[in-house]
């Protein structure tokens, strides 16, 4: 707090003396270069001098240097008073009159004392700024545009090299077919020429015989007739010529998936970043309805633009892009139920809730084989873990685990009737039924935690009908709720969910979800509608 003596000092007028003429009149200027107080007259002279015309002259209250001693500003409320007091509570400079009027009960310091502290802090901030500049420069050089562009250029060369190799191989195959056609053409031309020469010879010989017959007189008629009777059979025209069998060319079908595999795939080190779920900021990229307009049972994203769909009562699978354009269909002899991808080459399928079989579809040749028979259990939903083991839910507490050969290697008891299943990157398993989701530990079957509709806002989802679940690479579970037209998102190791959707998204009766390589969420609904959402 200010003392009475300090307050009395504040009432005294502040006077300056000109360092050039010792006058106290009109001393309102300060030369920061010469470190001198100047009156109005000396200031004019100072600014015209040959050596001092470019000096930094400012109002004495705004002077920036006076030796090592800082010069306080003049108070704007009380002209002639210097702001030589610092209020620690309000973090402002003021004159003693301001202090005595409104800051009496506050803690204060002399301007000079606080100035040194602020100067030290300023220096520390400047050091921190310099360190951060160096850091960002280092980061820029380490992960800069040139490095990224160089990496892109290298991959671009690899793509063009691979394209040239595939083109070369296709050209080689096509050239071989064309060469074979040329060989057939040449062979047929030789045979045709030979046949023509034989026919021309026959014509000449028969023409000669005819001429002889026409010139035959009476005495030689018997002889000529006898000669022709033995000669004409040599020119039998009733012999049926065998025409060459015309070749045919059966065109092959273009398989984009196989061609993409042959060319290669682009793998991003980190294809998408984890973002918080906020339904207001969820953006719908597209919406479409499949031709069948029936319930979507399963979604298998191939990349960030394509996904395979299984549809209720449809004997086949459909490959669509995110705009809903059908790229390919695979006809099957049964209606696939739940599906999952094995890399990019095969699809594993269950048939229906009553079947004990798991099937494998090879996308290369469209062949379907029986992958496993898990009887007495029924194969319901299917997922693949990080060890490439195939886990099958059975609508019982048992989960059947298969290896890549389809052999049962073990069973896991999950403590609930498991309808839907998805494997997490942590090695745990998410299992759900109509109303609950459990996260269990593989092998032991220990329930780590269970979700029964609890939300982050403190509310609980009442009546619910949960359907085919899925997870992203951050192990966030996406749980479609048919009854509430919602997809609940359960963060890893959490028992409270958030809501992905709000009314503006218009999602009705979701029955299946899946997350693609860019983190976009594909939502299939009961009427065959598919929504693609960006978080």
């Amino acid at each position: 707090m200010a003392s009475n003596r300090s307050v009395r000092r504040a009432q005294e007028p502040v006077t300056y003396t000109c360092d050039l003429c010792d006058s106290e009149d009109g001393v309102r200027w300060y030369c920061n270069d010469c470190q001198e107080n100047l009156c109005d007259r000396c200031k004019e002279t100072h600014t015209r001098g040959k050596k001092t015309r470019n000096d930094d002259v400012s109002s004495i209250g705004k002077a920036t240097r006076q030796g090592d001693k800082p010069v306080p500003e003049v108070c704007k409320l009380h002209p002639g008073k210097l702001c030589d007091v610092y209020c620690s509570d309000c973090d402002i400079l003021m004159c003693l009159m301001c202090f005595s009027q409104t800051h009496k009960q506050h803690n204060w310091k002399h301007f000079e004392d606080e100035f040194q502290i602020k100067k030290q802090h300023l220096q520390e901030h400047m050091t921190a700024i310099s360190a951060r500049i160096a850091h960002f420069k280092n980061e820029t050089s380490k992960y800069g545009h040139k490095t990224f562009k160089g990496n892109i250029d290298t991959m671009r060369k690899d793509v063009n090299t691979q394209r040239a190799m595939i083109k070369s191989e296709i050209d080689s195959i096509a050239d071989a077919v064309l060469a074979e056609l040329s060989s057939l053409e040449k062979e047929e031309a030789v045979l045709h020429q030979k046949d023509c020469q034989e026919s021309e010879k026959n014509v000449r010989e028969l023409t000669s015989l005819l001429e002889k017959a026409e010139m035959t007189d009476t005495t030689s008629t018997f002889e000529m007739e006898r000669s022709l009777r033995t000669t004409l059979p040599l020119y039998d025209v009733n012999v049926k010529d065998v025409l060459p069998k015309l070749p045919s060319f059966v065109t092959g079908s273009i398989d984009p998936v196989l061609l993409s595999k042959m060319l290669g795939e682009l793998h991003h080190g980190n294809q998408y970043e984890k973002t918080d779920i906020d339904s207001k900021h969820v953006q719908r990229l597209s919406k479409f309805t499949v031709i069948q307009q029936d319930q979507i049972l399963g979604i298998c994203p191939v990349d960030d633009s394509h996904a395979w769909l299984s549809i209720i009562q449809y004997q086949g699978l459909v490959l669509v892009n995110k705009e809903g354009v059908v790229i390919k269909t695979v006809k099957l002899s049964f209606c696939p139920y739940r599906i999952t991808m094995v890399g990019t080459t095969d699809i594993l399928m269950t048939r229906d809730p009553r079947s004990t079989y798991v099937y494998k579809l090879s996308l290369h040749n469209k062949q379907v084989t029986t992958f496993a028979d898990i009887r007495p259990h029924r194969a319901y939903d299917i997922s693949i873990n990080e060890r490439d083991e195939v886990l099958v839910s059975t609508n019982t507490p048992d989960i059947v685990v298969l290896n890549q050969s389809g052999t049962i290697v073990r069973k896991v008891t999950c403590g609930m009737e498991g309808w839907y299943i998805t494997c997490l990157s942590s090695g745990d398993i998410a299992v759900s039924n109509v109303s609950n989701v459990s996260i269990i530990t593989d092998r032991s079957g220990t329930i780590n935690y269970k979700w029964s509709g609890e939300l982050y806002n403190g509310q609980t989802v009442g009546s619910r009908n949960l359907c085919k679940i899925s997870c992203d690479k951050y192990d966030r579970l996406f749980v479609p709720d048919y009854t509430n037209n919602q997809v609940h998102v359960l963060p890893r190791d959490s028992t409270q969910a958030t809501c992905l959707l709000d009314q503006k998204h218009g999602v009705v009766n979701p029955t299946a979800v899946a997350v693609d390589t860019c983190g976009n969420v594909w939502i299939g609904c009961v009427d065959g509608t598919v929504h693609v959402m960006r978080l």
Side-chain angles (χ1 to χ4, degrees):
M1 296 175 59
S3 64
N4 292 333
R5 183 178 180 183
S6 298
V7 173
R8 285 196 302 273
R9 284 178 55 199
Q11 311 299 325
E12 299 173 0
V14 177
T15 58
Y16 297 99
T17 302
C18 178
D19 289 325
L20 298 184
C21 66
D22 294 329
S23 171
E24 294 183 356
D25 296 331
V27 182
R28 289 188 287 269
W29 309 98
Y30 183 79
C31 177
N32 290 311
D33 293 305
C34 299
Q35 299 184 4
E36 292 176 336
N37 295 328
L38 301 173
C39 65
D40 293 339
R41 185 180 59 185
C42 291
K43 183 253 186 182
E44 292 296 326
T45 303
H46 198 80
T47 55
R48 292 176 183 174
K50 186 177 293 185
K51 294 183 179 181
T52 59
R53 67 178 63 175
N54 295 321
D55 283 3
D56 180 18
V57 177
S58 62
S59 171
I60 198 167
K62 298 181 180 181
T64 57
R65 297 190 299 275
Q66 191 175 359
D68 294 330
K69 183 178 180 181
V71 179
E73 297 180 358
V74 175
C75 181
K76 295 179 181 179
L77 298 178
H78 305 96
K81 302 298 180 182
L82 294 178
C83 295
D84 53 2
V85 176
Y86 172 76
C87 178
S88 302
D89 294 341
C90 301
D91 190 24
I92 57 173
L93 290 170
M94 65 192 71
C95 71
L96 280 172
M97 288 188 68
C98 292
F99 189 87
S100 64
Q101 291 174 2
T102 57
H103 299 266
K104 284 185 178 181
Q105 305 302 321
H106 294 181
N107 295 311
W108 65 282
K109 295 181 182 178
H110 285 294
F111 167 78
E112 295 85 352
D113 296 337
E114 186 61 25
F115 178 82
Q116 296 302 324
I117 296 174
K118 296 297 185 186
K119 187 175 181 181
Q120 181 180 353
H121 289 170
L122 179 62
Q123 187 62 43
E124 292 172 355
H125 292 323
M126 292 170 63
T127 302
I129 291 174
S130 299
R132 295 183 185 187
I133 290 174
H135 168 78
F136 287 117
K137 284 184 176 179
N138 181 59
E139 289 297 307
T140 302
S141 62
K142 185 177 179 182
Y143 304 105
H145 174 69
K146 290 183 178 179
T147 302
F148 188 86
K149 186 177 183 303
N151 184 50
I152 294 294
D153 289 341
T154 299
M155 288 190 293
R156 187 176 285 117
K157 291 179 181 178
D158 291 341
V159 170
N160 286 326
T161 300
Q162 192 73 355
R163 173 165 61 182
M165 290 174 61
I166 293 175
K167 283 184 175 180
S168 175
E169 189 64 30
I170 292 174
D171 288 342
S172 175
I173 295 172
D175 288 343
V177 175
L178 294 175
E180 187 175 358
L181 289 175
S182 298
S183 176
L184 290 173
E185 183 182 29
K186 187 180 296 184
E187 181 181 345
E188 197 279 332
V190 170
L191 293 174
H192 178 70
Q193 184 178 11
K194 184 178 179 181
D195 290 342
C196 289
Q197 290 174 349
E198 185 69 23
S199 296
E200 290 172 356
K201 176 188 174 187
N202 291 337
V203 170
R204 287 195 303 270
E205 291 176 351
L206 290 171
T207 301
S208 177
L209 287 174
L210 180 61
E211 291 175 350
K212 288 180 180 181
E214 290 175 345
M215 295 175 61
T216 301
D217 54 18
T218 304
T219 56
S220 57
T221 297
F222 288 92
E223 183 181 347
M224 178 57 68
E225 189 276 333
R226 186 168 48 252
S227 174
L228 291 180
R229 190 169 61 242
T230 58
T231 303
L232 281 178
L234 300 176
Y235 301 93
D236 187 4
V237 295
N238 294 319
V239 177
K240 187 176 181 180
D241 292 334
V242 179
L243 297 175
K245 187 176 180 180
L246 296 178
S248 63
F249 179 69
V250 180
T251 58
S253 61
I254 297 176
D255 190 333
V257 175
L258 180 59
L259 284 176
S260 297
K261 182 183 176 184
M262 292 169 62
L263 179 67
E265 298 176 347
L266 181 62
H267 291 277
H268 300 271
N270 189 8
Q271 293 175 308
Y272 66 92
E273 297 293 336
K274 183 177 181 180
T275 56
D276 292 333
I277 302 299
D278 184 349
S279 61
K280 294 182 180 180
H281 296 98
V282 172
Q283 175 188 359
R284 185 170 67 194
L285 297 180
S286 65
K287 172 187 176 183
F288 59 88
T289 302
V290 295
I291 298 174
Q292 293 75 16
Q293 297 186 353
D294 282 323
Q295 178 181 342
I296 305 297
L297 295 174
I299 304 175
C300 273
V302 177
D303 49 34
D304 61 347
S305 301
H306 301 82
W308 287 97
L309 306 178
S310 61
I311 306 166
I312 194 169
Q313 296 182 346
Y314 177 69
Q315 291 188 340
L317 296 175
V318 180
L319 178 65
V320 297
N321 64 18
K322 64 184 178 184
E323 283 73 39
V325 177
V326 176
I327 307 300
K328 183 184 299 185
T329 59
V330 177
K331 296 295 184 180
L332 302 172
S333 60
F334 59 90
C335 299
Y337 194 59
R338 307 298 178 189
I339 58 177
T340 190
M341 292 287 296
V342 182
T344 59
T345 59
D346 302 308
I347 297 178
L348 292 179
M349 306 170 286
T350 57
R351 183 167 178 170
D352 61 59
R354 295 179 298 277
S355 173
T356 63
Y357 292 100
V358 177
Y359 298 92
K360 177 186 281 189
L361 167 66
S362 173
L363 295 175
H364 172 60
N365 55 19
K366 311 299 185 297
Q367 295 296 313
V368 177
T369 56
T370 300
F371 178 72
D373 182 357
I374 65 168
R375 67 182 63 189
H377 293 294
R378 295 177 295 174
Y380 198 81
D381 195 9
I382 189 168
S383 184
I384 300 177
N385 65 17
E386 293 291 308
R387 297 187 297 275
D388 289 331
E389 294 176 324
V390 180
L391 283 76
V392 186
S393 65
T394 62
N395 203 12
T396 73
D398 289 335
I399 298 173
V400 177
V401 183
L402 312 169
N403 60 22
Q404 282 295 311
S405 300
T407 304
I408 297 177
V409 294
R410 67 179 184 279
K411 294 181 181 178
V412 180
T413 301
C414 62
M416 61 182 286
E417 291 186 353
W419 290 16
Y420 312 107
I421 186 171
T422 190
C423 296
L424 309 180
S425 61
S426 63
D428 292 342
I429 309 168
V431 184
S432 69
N433 52 29
V434 173
S435 57
N436 300 301
V437 178
S438 290
I439 308 300
I440 67 171
T441 301
D442 192 2
R443 294 186 183 275
S444 69
T446 303
I447 296 179
N448 292 337
Y449 58 93
K450 186 175 182 179
W451 183 73
S452 300
E454 298 82 5
L455 299 177
Y456 265 116
N457 59 13
Q459 298 179 351
T460 300
V461 182
S463 177
R464 53 193 179 275
N465 187 349
L466 309 183
C467 298
K468 171 57 182 169
I469 62 177
S470 185
C471 68
D472 65 4
K473 70 176 183 179
Y474 298 105
D475 283 351
R476 294 184 296 192
L477 280 177
F478 293 80
V479 185
D481 185 345
Y482 178 92
T483 299
N484 295 287
N485 302 324
Q486 184 58 261
V487 174
H488 307 294
V489 184
L490 191 62
R492 181 172 179 172
D493 300 328
S494 176
T495 57
Q496 295 177 318
T498 56
C499 295
L500 179 69
L501 307 173
D502 57 23
Q503 291 183 350
K504 72 177 182 181
H505 298 120
V507 176
V508 179
N509 303 135
T511 54
V513 295
V515 184
D516 66 25
T517 55
C518 278
N520 300 321
V521 182
W522 297 56
I523 306 171
C525 300
V526 72
D527 62 352
T529 301
V530 177
H531 303 258
V532 183
M533 301 293 186
R534 173 181 291 165
L535 304 187

